Amino acid sequence: MILWLASYPKSGNTLLRSLLSAYFYSKDGLFNFELLKNIPYFPSHNFFKNLNVNIKDDSEVIKNYINVQKKFIQNKERIFFLKTHSSLFRANNHSFTNLQTSLGAIYVVRDPRKVAVSYANHFQMNIDQATEALTKDVGVYEKNSKMKTFCGKWSFNYLSWKKFNSQKLLLIKYEDMINNKTNTLKKILLFLNSLIENKFEINENKINNIISSTSFEKMKNLEKKQSFSEASVDKKTGKSIPFFYLGDQKKSENLLDAKNKNKIENSFREEMVGLGYL
């Protein structure tokens, strides 16, 4: 069954996957970039190639989302983690996913003002363009998967997943993963245990190693030593743009000018107040 790791782009999905991949796919909890390959992105063309789906036809792709996901039902005892930036949308009577293929979902939300700064850096655009991307109704993400992902605007993405079955959804804030990582990871593991029949033992030593090896500074240094496939490439120089940019540092707020800050806050005031960002 599928356990969705969902978020708007640049909201902390990579950190969430780092925590979970180090816990479930390593012996000691020591993180490295190779572990992330155990948690693929959806939708990506690899999932659709055996169904002979024309991946350039959006309606055909959406129509086959569930068909692709059905192959994960075969082993109901195993959790298949899938990352996505898609909203939990429905189009032409076809849903992104359903409870027949989904064990549950973890949704990561981040202060949209900081998302805008990270988004601008990653996608090589200015802050005006990044803010526009967050606030426009039809948001489409086409990064590494080579297929369209229908994100919607920041608030739609967040609110769509918030409507997922409440017993099978865990909402976590990126800021908590940074500032209270140990308790947040334990909360995630307890949530996963609540979804499955065969409970797993929570390994404190492994958790300690994960916390240490996934600190922002260590991951930033690791990226300097090793190439990171999810990093963007500078269109002018051909060099990789650091994926681990500012994290949740306070100085990221200084990169957002008053005009775009006000636009984001006015667009998402209700959601930001509810989340404690305002």
Side-chain angles (χ1 to χ4, degrees):
M1 297 287 281
I2 298 169
L3 194 293
W4 295 102
L5 307 181
S7 71
Y8 191 82
K10 307 309 298 176
S11 296
N13 207 307
T14 298
L15 179 54
L16 174 61
R17 288 184 296 133
S18 299
L19 299 177
L20 289 174
S21 64
Y23 192 89
F24 288 103
Y25 303 114
S26 76
K27 293 181 179 180
D28 51 18
L30 295 175
F31 173 75
N32 65 73
F33 289 145
E34 286 297 308
L35 293 173
L36 291 174
K37 294 180 179 178
N38 291 288
I39 305 179
Y41 185 85
F42 188 93
S44 60
H45 66 276
N46 288 335
F47 291 120
F48 291 83
K49 60 183 180 182
N50 293 330
L51 293 180
N52 296 316
V53 176
N54 179 5
I55 63 173
K56 295 182 179 180
D57 186 333
D58 296 339
S59 62
E60 281 298 302
V61 170
I62 293 170
K63 186 170 70 175
N64 282 282
Y65 277 165
I66 301 298
N67 289 333
V68 170
Q69 293 169 27
K70 283 180 179 177
K71 73 176 185 177
F72 295 101
I73 303 177
Q74 298 172 5
N75 188 343
K76 293 186 178 181
E77 300 300 316
R78 180 182 171 188
I79 299 176
F80 293 93
F81 295 106
L82 291 182
K83 168 191 175 180
T84 192
H85 290 315
S86 176
S87 59
L88 191 59
F89 71 96
R90 184 175 177 83
N92 298 323
N93 292 319
H94 298 291
S95 300
F96 174 77
T97 191
N98 59 34
L99 292 176
Q100 284 67 54
T101 61
S102 301
L103 179 68
I106 300 173
Y107 188 86
V108 187
V109 65
R110 184 184 187 186
D111 187 327
R113 295 166 296 193
K114 294 185 177 181
V115 172
V117 173
S118 185
Y119 197 102
N121 175 71
H122 186 71
F123 292 105
Q124 302 176 62
M125 57 178 63
N126 60 44
I127 292 294
D128 287 350
Q129 293 170 320
T131 299
E132 176 65 18
L134 264 68
T135 56
K136 67 181 180 182
D137 287 327
V138 183
V140 178
Y141 175 87
E142 298 181 82
K143 189 56 182 169
N144 296 324
S145 69
K146 309 298 183 184
M147 293 179 67
K148 289 181 181 178
T149 301
F150 299 94
C151 306
K153 61 183 176 181
W154 179 87
S155 58
F156 179 79
N157 195 288
Y158 160 61
L159 292 173
S160 69
W161 281 98
K162 194 177 178 183
K163 294 177 182 177
F164 195 77
N165 183 293
S166 61
Q167 301 301 312
K168 296 179 179 292
L169 173 70
L170 177 64
L171 175 68
I172 59 175
K173 295 168 74 171
Y174 171 75
E175 295 80 8
D176 289 337
M177 284 198 293
I178 294 292
N179 300 319
N180 198 0
K181 189 183 291 183
T182 300
N183 286 342
T184 301
L185 176 54
K186 289 181 179 179
K187 183 178 180 180
I188 291 169
L189 296 176
L190 288 172
F191 169 70
L192 295 177
N193 252 340
S194 73
L195 298 176
I196 59 177
E197 292 183 8
N198 297 325
K199 313 299 183 187
F200 56 86
E201 183 179 353
I202 295 179
N203 187 316
E204 293 287 346
N205 289 330
K206 184 177 274 192
I207 287 175
N208 291 335
N209 287 338
I210 291 170
I211 300 308
S212 174
S213 61
T214 58
S215 70
F216 184 79
E217 287 304 319
K218 285 194 175 181
M219 294 178 80
K220 193 171 184 176
N221 289 332
L222 184 63
E223 185 180 15
K224 292 178 181 178
K225 298 175 183 178
Q226 304 175 7
S227 61
F228 184 43
S229 61
E230 296 179 29
S232 295
V233 175
D234 191 296
K235 297 173 184 176
K236 295 181 180 178
T237 66
K239 296 181 179 180
S240 293
I241 299 173
F243 184 90
F244 300 97
Y245 179 42
L246 290 174
D248 202 44
Q249 297 178 32
K250 289 289 185 180
K251 64 182 180 181
S252 65
E253 296 176 357
N254 299 328
L255 299 177
L256 188 65
D257 60 279
K259 179 188 71 174
N260 286 301
K261 177 176 179 290
N262 290 335
K263 183 174 181 178
I264 290 172
E265 291 176 355
N266 290 332
S267 297
F268 307 135
R269 182 165 299 279
E270 183 175 351
E271 293 79 17
M272 292 179 70
V273 169
L275 288 162
Y277 292 138
L278 283 179

